[in-house]
Amino acid sequence: MPFFAYKARNTQGALVEGVLEDIDSNGVANQLSANGVIPIEIVPTKKTVKHESNHQGWWEKFSAEKVRSIDVQLFSRQIHTLLKAGVPIMRGLAGLQESAINKSFARILQDIRESLESGRELSASMYRHPTVFSHFYLSMVRVGEMTGQMDEIFLRLFDHLEFEREMRERIRTALRYPMFVIIAMAVAMLVINLFVIPAFAKVYAGFNAELPLMTKILINTSDFTVKFWPLILVFIAGAVIAFRSYIATSNGAFRWDKLKMRIPIVGKIILKGTMARFARSFALASRSGVPIVQALKVVAKTVDNRFIESRVDQIREGVERGESILRTSIATGVFTPVVLQMIAVGEETGEMDNLMEEIASMYEREVDYELKTLSSQIEPILIVGLGILVLILALGVFLPIWDLGKAAIHK
C-alpha cells in the first residue's frame, strides 16, 4: 500500500506530522479521524513508516534483549484486562511500559504510544514492528478497531498465542530424546574415526596379512576423516548455508514445506499441527466478524507453511469464484474425510466458526497423541541404527583378530 505524509491537529490543538500507510488519502483521513485528530494536509510520499529499530546503533541491536512470543502473549492478556476495565489505551500502555520486564518490549510500547499520540491507529502503530507482531496479529487488531471489540480481540489473540506456545513446547519436548541420541551417535562416530580406528590400523599393519573388506572400508574412511577433516567441516558448513539460502527463496520454501510433510513419522505431525493452526485461526477470524474471503486471506499467512498457504489461497480463490468451501477444500487434497464432512455441515448450518473450532480441537488431540507416542515410534529406528553401527564396527575391528586367531590355531 502507498504511504502518505500528513499534517493534523490533535485534541489539544497541537500540530502533529507523520507518515501513514493506506489504500488512499481517504483511508488516512479515516485513520486520523478515528483517533480524534483533525487532518489538515495529506499528500503522497516516498517515505516509509520508520521502525523503531532503525534508530538503534549496531551494538544496541546486537546486545538488546530479544522480544519473545511470551512477551506478546502476556501483553495481549494485560491489555485485554485493562480495556475491559475501561482504562484508556494510552494510560494502559503507559502502565504496561513501566512494568515491562523486557526492556526491548518496553521501548516498543513507548514507540506505540508516541505513534498513537501522532494520530496513528493502534494497528498502524504496531505495524512499525513487524518482527514482534505477526501479520495475523496485526490483522486481528485491525478487525478489533473496525468492530469496536478490542478487548475481546486481545483475549482471543492471547488464547491463540497460548495454543501456539503449547504446540511448540510439545514438539520440543518430544524431540529432545531422539535428538540427544542422534547427537551422541554422531560424536561417537567422530571419536571412533579420529582416534580408535587409527590405533587399530597400526596394530593391523604389523600383521602383514590381507585384511577383510569391512576393515579396509573402516580404515580408509578413518584415514580420509583424519586427513581431510577441515574440508569436511567446510563442506558441511557450505551445505548448511546453501540449504538455508535455498529455502529462503520462494520456490525453495514451497518445496521444503511440502517435503517436510512427507518425512516418515514427523511429517504427519507437522501436517496435523499446521492444519490445527489453520482451523483455529480461521475460527478466530470468522468469529470476530471478518468476511470469509478476507479471513482466508489473513489466515493463509498464519499457517507458517508455504504449501498449506497455497492450498488456503486455492480455497479463497474458489470462494471468490462462487464455489463452496467444501468443493474447494476437497480439491486441495489436504483434509481428511471427517474434516470435509464437518466443513459441509458448517456451510449448511452457518456455524462454520464453531465447526472450525471442533476441527482444530480434533487435530490438536491427534497431534497430542502423536507427540506422546513419538519417542516410542522413533526408538526402534534408533535401536536398529545403533545396532547396525555396532555390527559394522565389530566386524571391521574384530574380524582381522578373529582370522589371525583361527590361523594360529591351525598352525
Side-chain angles (χ1 to χ4, degrees), residues 241-267:
I241 293 173
F243 174 74
R244 292 176 67 89
S245 300
Y246 176 69
I247 63 175
T249 63
S250 179
N251 184 55
F254 179 86
R255 290 179 178 274
W256 171 238
D257 286 340
K258 185 178 181 179
L259 178 63
K260 282 192 297 187
M261 294 182 294
R262 297 181 178 178
I263 300 175
I265 301 176
V266 179

Side-chain angles (χ1 to χ4, degrees), residues 181-378:
V181 174
I182 292 173
I183 292 173
M185 289 174 61
V187 172
M189 282 294 298
L190 186 64
V191 172
I192 289 171
N193 273 287
L194 292 179
F195 303 105
V196 178
I197 294 179
F200 276 94
K202 293 179 182 178
V203 176
Y204 298 151
F207 291 165
N208 295 321
E210 181 69 19
L211 297 176
L213 176 62
M214 187 65 68
T215 306
K216 290 181 180 179
I217 294 175
L218 287 179
I219 292 176
N220 290 333
T221 303
S222 177
D223 290 340
F224 181 83
T225 304
V226 171
K227 291 179 182 178
F228 300 104
W229 66 264
L231 292 178
I232 295 175
L233 292 180
V234 171
F235 174 78
I236 294 174
V240 170
I241 293 173
F243 174 74
R244 292 176 67 89
S245 300
Y246 176 69
I247 63 175
T249 63
S250 179
N251 184 55
F254 179 86
R255 290 179 178 274
W256 171 238
D257 286 340
K258 185 178 181 179
L259 178 63
K260 282 192 297 187
M261 294 182 294
R262 297 181 178 178
I263 300 175
I265 301 176
V266 179
K268 58 184 178 182
I269 300 177
I270 295 175
L271 174 60
K272 292 176 180 178
T274 303
M275 297 309 298
R277 188 182 299 114
F278 157 73
R280 181 75 68 188
S281 302
F282 185 82
L284 173 57
S286 178
R287 186 167 293 166
S288 301
V290 183
I292 289 181
V293 173
Q294 184 181 349
L296 289 170
K297 186 175 182 180
V298 172
V299 168
K301 302 296 183 181
T302 70
V303 295
D304 196 27
N305 185 294
R306 297 290 182 90
F307 177 73
I308 299 298
E309 180 182 339
S310 68
R311 293 300 181 264
V312 176
D313 285 333
Q314 182 179 334
I315 296 174
R316 177 181 56 80
E317 292 170 358
V319 173
E320 287 179 336
R321 292 192 301 267
E323 299 179 12
S324 66
I325 298 179
L326 177 62
R327 173 176 291 185
T328 53
S329 298
I330 293 173
T332 60
V334 296
F335 293 99
T336 62
V338 175
V339 173
L340 292 174
Q341 185 177 359
M342 296 179 73
I343 290 176
V345 173
E347 277 195 302
E348 291 179 5
T349 61
E351 298 287 332
M352 184 60 73
D353 53 347
N354 293 329
L355 268 296
M356 279 294 174
E357 282 283 354
E358 292 295 329
I359 292 172
S361 299
M362 184 184 70
Y363 273 125
E364 288 169 20
R365 287 192 296 269
E366 292 185 11
V367 169
D368 187 50
Y369 174 77
E370 294 288 351
L371 290 176
K372 287 179 179 178
T373 59
L374 179 61
S375 295
S376 60
Q377 295 180 63
I378 295 179

